[in-house]
Amino acid sequence: MFFDWGVVAYAAPLLAHGVVMTLQVSIVAGILGLAIGLLTGLASLSGIRAIEILVRAYVDFVRGTPLLIQIFLVFFALPVVGLRLPEYWAGVAALAINSGAYIAEVVRGAVGSVEKGQSEAALSIGMVRRQVLWWVLMPQAWRPMVPSLTNDLITLTKNSSLLSVISVYELTRAGQAIISTHFAPFEIYLLLAIYYYLLIAALTWASRRLERSLPTW
Amino acid sequence: MVMPPALLTIRSISKRFGDRTVLEGINLDVRQGETVTIIGASGSGKTTLLRCINWLERPDHGDVRIANEIIGRTLDGRAASEGELARQRRHFGFVFQRFNLFPHLTALENVALGPRRVLGVSRAVAEARAIKELARVRLEEHLHKRPSQLSGGQQQRVAIARALAMDPSIILFDEPTSALDPELVQEVLDAMRGLAAEGMTMVVVTHEMRFARGVADRVVFMADGSIVEEGPPGIIFENPQDPRLQRFLRHLEPAST
């Protein structure tokens, strides 16, 4: 089999631009997703029934439909209701909405698994639910959340390659552009795989460090 | 002798879990400054009764009345909102069998959290109060330790200080020494004895018969979800009437009297 090293040498630096874009999309969508997930996750523990049902519906919808369809929905359907987002922001929004739902479940799970006696002790000194969540349950839920959150952020980073379908010029799209002019799909997709792998490896390493730096009791 | 009026009045409290009746028509009065211990076999409903008093467990029927308020209800008879119930809970301190200290906070922060976040006093005032209460249970040397760095007996004393810092009218103790190694039981009982001597009103679910005998003003014996006998410790322990109480005391004899 012929492996075209020339194309690899040519593409490797060109793809760096795509890497930056992938990083940027993932970081922005990750931050938004964390915010959405944290808010909706806590909201689902608020004890207010209407809010809990809304969050449930949101999570169910995201889990029950393909991300690709969600991206198309944000990109093509929102303009119909008068909200026209450029490709970049439509993509970021779709990714954030998607990961936010999974993160909401992580938050709900971690906060819910703090031992019941903790809530009771907090109630017994006169706290209301909101205070129990904020002062007693959340501080204890951070550390157990980190591994699951890392998984969600890894998934998000990999999922960002789907934004190529709405022409966001991230890593996958950049690779496809080279393939279309040089026709070397094997070399380029292999190169893309390596780039993604390195990104995820860096993310995993950072998360391990973060987890170690969080206090245990 | 004229009895002072009751501080806490419990009227016909009932509680079921599924189809199991755990409490059936409980009536109990506790007067200001009194120490009442509740004894009985496990499964007799003592802990549930205690948890129904401050509505950690919501009773199915009956009223808990303290200082002219009915727990879970507003003065004009509506169901209390979450905030109103939280305020009413502050009439009671609660000391748990397994301490339930907040593991992410130091002893000082555990005790200061309520004053700071619930009463809304300044950090300095909350900490001064916490130091005072921790000194009261002789833990002034351990202010900045986390629960995991403290022995069980020390942890339970922090929990007592945490309850005291909220100025409760009554402290409810749920088997406060049952989770402790035997050599650590005494320091907790001493702290409780000290509170009783200072006139704190206390309701104590316990298996420590020596405490019930020596400190309690009144002993309540529960069986099958009901109060079957109550009276001064001298009478309950020396002259029990109900056969279930007689059997209960006989079984305890070798171990803890």
Side-chain angles (χ1 to χ4, degrees):
Chain A
M1 192 181 73
F2 177 66
F3 193 88
D4 185 351
W5 288 102
V7 121
V8 171
Y10 164 78
L14 269 186
L15 289 175
H17 180 72
V19 170
V20 171
M21 185 57 116
T22 287
L23 265 177
Q24 209 185 73
V25 165
S26 304
I27 289 169
V28 176
I31 289 170
L32 288 175
L34 279 172
I36 294 173
L38 210 58
L39 264 163
T40 51
L42 289 179
S44 74
L45 294 161
S46 66
I48 303 166
R49 188 122 180 81
I51 293 180
E52 289 179 8
I53 290 171
L54 276 176
V55 173
R56 195 76 258 149
Y58 159 58
V59 171
D60 271 356
F61 175 79
V62 168
R63 282 210 294 209
T65 55
L67 173 58
L68 189 58
I69 305 295
Q70 293 162 16
I71 292 170
F72 283 140
L73 277 178
V74 173
F75 188 60
F76 292 115
L78 284 187
V80 176
V81 294
L83 187 65
R84 166 126 202 104
L85 295 176
E87 293 87 358
Y88 176 84
W89 285 109
V92 165
L95 286 178
I97 290 168
N98 182 270
S99 67
Y102 292 99
I103 291 171
E105 286 295 279
V106 170
V107 171
R108 202 170 66 96
V111 171
S113 64
V114 176
E115 196 221 337
K116 188 158 166 274
Q118 292 290 305
S119 301
E120 293 186 344
L123 290 175
S124 79
I125 54 172
M127 285 193 171
V128 293
R129 218 178 158 103
R130 185 171 40 79
Q131 294 170 314
V132 177
L133 261 179
W134 191 256
W135 298 111
V136 175
L137 301 183
M138 276 304 284
Q140 299 185 55
W142 281 121
R143 192 181 163 113
M145 260 187 238
V146 170
S148 314
L149 288 182
T150 306
N151 270 336
D152 287 333
L153 293 179
I154 285 174
T155 304
L156 184 152
T157 305
K158 293 194 287 191
N159 281 345
S160 70
S161 77
L162 281 175
L163 298 194
S164 57
V165 300
I166 54 167
S167 305
V168 176
Y169 204 80
E170 43 65 69
L171 186 52
T172 302
R173 179 76 181 178
Q176 286 168 340
I178 297 174
I179 292 170
S180 70
T181 53
H182 291 76
F183 201 69
F186 176 57
E187 287 85 347
I188 300 298
Y189 280 126
L190 191 62
L191 204 52
L192 291 185
I194 291 169
Y195 271 118
Y196 277 112
Y197 182 82
L198 292 176
L199 280 178
I200 303 305
L203 196 56
T204 308
W205 174 81
S207 132
R208 294 245 169 80
R209 287 203 49 153
L210 173 64
E211 193 185 356
R212 268 200 297 268
S213 77
L214 289 174
T216 48
W217 303 288
Chain B
M1 190 174 88
V2 180
M3 287 286 192
L7 172 64
L8 171 72
T9 310
I10 297 168
R11 284 293 171 271
S12 30
I13 290 280
S14 299
K15 179 74 187 175
R16 301 163 72 89
F17 291 129
D19 54 5
R20 207 166 64 86
T21 301
V22 189
L23 292 177
E24 182 84 79
I26 300 281
N27 295 306
L28 183 65
D29 288 359
V30 178
R31 283 181 296 279
Q32 178 82 46
E34 209 180 9
T35 297
V36 174
T37 59
I38 304 177
I39 62 172
S42 46
S44 58
K46 338 181 269 299
T47 289
T48 306
L49 171 58
L50 206 65
R51 293 164 58 85
C52 279
I53 294 177
N54 77 339
W55 271 48
L56 278 181
E57 215 72 74
R58 204 167 276 233
D60 297 333
H61 300 286
D63 290 335
V64 176
R65 198 182 284 259
I66 182 163
N68 292 323
E69 282 192 85
I70 299 175
I71 303 300
R73 236 184 288 162
T74 60
L75 289 177
D76 49 3
R78 285 178 299 111
S81 68
E82 191 202 359
E84 287 160 340
L85 180 59
R87 186 191 53 73
Q88 290 181 326
R89 278 211 182 93
R90 303 213 312 256
H91 286 297
F92 306 99
F94 201 101
V95 175
F96 297 86
Q97 183 176 357
R98 309 208 61 92
F99 332 135
N100 297 1
L101 291 180
F102 307 126
H104 58 301
L105 302 178
T106 62
L108 180 71
E109 292 165 337
N110 262 279
V111 180
L113 186 68
R116 180 87 183 93
R117 300 299 166 194
V118 177
L119 304 181
V121 304
S122 73
R123 188 192 164 111
V125 171
E127 290 191 348
R129 180 65 194 263
I131 291 168
K132 185 185 139 211
E133 299 304 346
L134 283 165
R136 199 164 160 191
V137 291
R138 298 189 301 105
L139 284 172
E140 55 275 52
E141 318 260 289
H142 303 284
L143 300 180
H144 300 294
K145 289 190 184 158
R146 291 244 160 82
S148 59
Q149 298 168 294
L150 297 170
S151 74
Q154 290 168 332
Q155 289 186 55
Q156 193 59 297
R157 285 185 285 147
V158 174
I160 292 171
R162 176 174 68 181
L164 286 169
M166 294 302 289
D167 274 327
S169 318
I170 299 185
I171 301 187
L172 310 170
F173 293 83
D174 182 16
E175 302 194 24
T177 58
S178 297
L180 296 174
D181 291 335
E183 74 273 19
L184 302 176
V185 167
Q186 202 50 48
E187 61 190 76
V188 172
L189 292 182
D190 286 346
M192 292 168 62
R193 197 169 282 128
L195 291 181
E198 290 171 32
M200 175 55 79
T201 312
M202 316 201 292
V203 178
V204 185
V205 168
T206 188
H207 292 299
E208 291 292 330
M209 292 306 136
R210 241 178 326 167
F211 180 84
R213 211 190 266 262
V215 182
D217 300 300
R218 194 146 49 95
V219 178
V220 171
F221 172 71
M222 287 183 70
D224 307 319
S226 301
I227 293 176
V228 293
E229 200 161 331
E230 65 176 298
I235 294 183
I236 291 288
F237 287 108
E238 306 313 331
N239 192 15
Q241 300 300 311
D242 191 278
R244 283 172 291 184
L245 176 54
Q246 292 167 354
R247 201 169 339 117
F248 176 76
L249 292 174
R250 216 165 32 240
H251 283 283
L252 281 173
E253 247 8 277
S256 50
T257 44

